[in-house]
Every structure is written in structure tokens, then in C-alpha cells.
Amino acid sequence: MQQSTSLHVAIIMDGNGRWATRRGLPRPAGHRAGAAAVRRVVEAAPGLGIGQLTLFAFSADNWRRPPREVAYLMRLFARHLRTEAAELTRTGVRLEVIGRRDRLAPVLVAAIAAAERATAGGTRLRLRLAVDYSGRAAIRAGALLPDVDLLIRTGGEQRLSDFLLWEAAYAELYFTDRMWPDVGAADLAAAVQAFHARERRFGGLPEAAAG
Ligand code: IPE
Ligand code: IPE
Ligand code: MG
């Protein structure tokens, strides 16, 4: 089977809140644990043949959540961008944040710009974090990414929730009931393995039938 050397994997990181609630913890504890899962997945990605990893962290519709939760998430993003930038640089990860910036706090915008600048030379993995992102808005603005090969959603729901609508046109979809904070390298490996077992036809015929 042809193994693509540089996959574009996108992940809808869902289930932080339920993970926390099931443990009798406040939802922010789930978001904090979710940030640790991001680190595990980013570390594992290059070894699995992933060249681009696009993570859905905050949707344009997530502003509808209680202001306290939104504020917590925004602080978490800013803090992690500051603390992770050096490690990302060391490991050759180039970070970009996609989505609207005009509704983000200036401190967060500054942290994003600093992290992007610090990691700009990375060539091992192209990591995109979608914050205040809407797939529909991206299409309207022509802000399109390369096609997605594999789209993963954790947390048990089977929907796109306005993520990479255009780019996922021929993506293989992979849904798992695992909550995002429980995800680790083995889960990412299982998803990539499932991807390689799929037959992508892009509207054509299976290899065996094509003659
Ligand atoms: C995903 O987890 C993270 C964000 C959307 C910010 P959720 O916060 O949606 O967790 P659930 O779906 O409520 O469990
Ligand atoms: C999608 O999750 C957005 C992110 C994971 C960032 P949501 O939890 O917001 O999606 P819905 O509300 O279940 O569709
Ligand atoms: Mg959710």
C-alpha cells in the first residue's frame, strides 16, 4: 500500500468538559488536561508520517459559552503559547494560528505573533492551531489550507462543527468516543493506521478495477 510520507491530519479536539465533569471536576480542569494531550499528539505526529497537523481549539461559535469559560480558554492559549514556543522551536515545529484575531485580547495576539516568529524556521511539522475559526468564514475569505487527508474527531460526536469544510472534501473521517484529554500517541497511531487501511478513490475506480 502506498504510504504518503507527509499527511495532513486535522483534529477536532472535543470532550474536555465532559472528561472533567465525569471526574467531578470543573470544566477548566478538562481544558488544562486537554492542553497536555496537545503536547503528546504534537510530539508523536512527525514519527507517524504527519507533516501538517491542524488542531481545532476554539470555534467562532464557542464565543457563545459562558464568559468565564471563554476567558479561561483564552488565558490557557496565551500561557501555553508562551511556555511551549521554545520546545516547538527546538523540535522543528512551525506553529501558525488560523482564524480571526480581531476579537482576541491584545496579549493573546502578541503571544501568537511571538510564537509564530520564534518557530518560523521549523520544517519537521507544520502545526496549525485554529482559534476563533469558522470554516464557512474561511471559504468566504478565501483563506484555504491544503487538503486534509485524515480528519479526526474525539469526544463521540460525529459532526464537523464548522471546521475545515472546504479542505475536508475528500478527507477520511475518523470518529472516536475517547475524550480529548485521554488521547495519546497510541490513539493518533491507531487513527493513522486506520487511514492507511482505507481506499481513497477521489471519484475514480478502485485500483483493481481500473485495469
Ligand atoms: C473541546 O471540548 C474544547 C473546546 C471546544 C474549547 P469541549 O469544551 O467542547 O468539551 P465538551 O464537548 O463540553 O465535553
Ligand atoms: C467543536 O467543538 C469546536 C472545537 C473542538 C474547538 P464544540 O464542542 O464546540 O462543538 P459542538 O457544539 O458539539 O458542535
Ligand atoms: Mg464539545
Side-chain angles (χ1 to χ4, degrees), residues 6-211:
S6 184
L7 297 177
H8 183 191
V9 174
I11 309 182
I12 302 175
M13 309 185 290
D14 197 23
N16 294 353
R18 280 165 289 161
W19 180 92
T21 304
R22 285 175 191 175
R23 284 167 176 69
L25 300 169
R27 291 179 57 88
H31 295 313
R32 209 178 320 122
V38 170
R39 198 178 302 127
R40 293 192 291 270
V41 162
V42 168
E43 271 174 26
L48 294 168
I50 299 170
Q52 302 179 70
L53 182 64
T54 305
L55 303 175
F56 204 9
F58 190 91
S59 78
D61 291 317
N62 286 147
W63 294 109
R64 303 161 76 151
R65 295 188 180 198
R68 277 179 57 132
E69 178 166 344
V70 170
Y72 183 88
L73 282 165
M74 295 298 158
R75 282 199 305 275
L76 192 72
F77 296 149
R79 190 183 331 132
H80 277 266
L81 287 167
R82 278 190 222 103
T83 58
E84 299 297 315
E87 178 67 6
L88 295 176
T89 307
R90 195 183 67 76
T91 53
V93 179
R94 175 178 180 178
L95 174 79
E96 289 165 79
V97 175
I98 60 169
R100 281 178 70 164
R101 294 203 188 173
D102 59 306
R103 299 191 285 195
L104 306 181
V107 285
L108 177 53
V109 175
I112 291 169
E116 288 181 335
R117 220 180 305 117
T119 64
T123 55
R124 224 166 120 254
L125 175 68
R126 202 148 175 167
L127 173 65
R128 298 188 194 86
L129 196 66
V131 176
D132 196 0
Y133 175 88
S134 155
R136 284 178 170 177
I139 291 169
R140 268 195 246 107
L144 305 175
L145 303 179
D147 282 354
V148 171
D149 297 301
L150 169 63
L151 177 77
I152 300 169
R153 183 171 185 143
T154 66
E157 313 291 355
Q158 303 195 353
R159 55 178 171 251
L160 295 179
S161 301
D162 199 15
F163 196 31
L164 302 165
L165 302 178
W166 177 279
E167 295 86 344
Y170 272 100
E172 296 296 328
L173 307 181
Y174 183 91
F175 299 103
T176 168
D177 288 338
R178 196 165 287 243
M179 299 294 142
W180 177 251
D182 287 328
V183 168
D187 300 291
L188 186 62
V192 170
Q193 195 180 7
F195 168 84
H196 286 302
R198 307 260 182 104
E199 183 179 55
R200 303 183 85 190
R201 291 191 289 275
F202 300 100
L205 294 179
E207 259 174 53

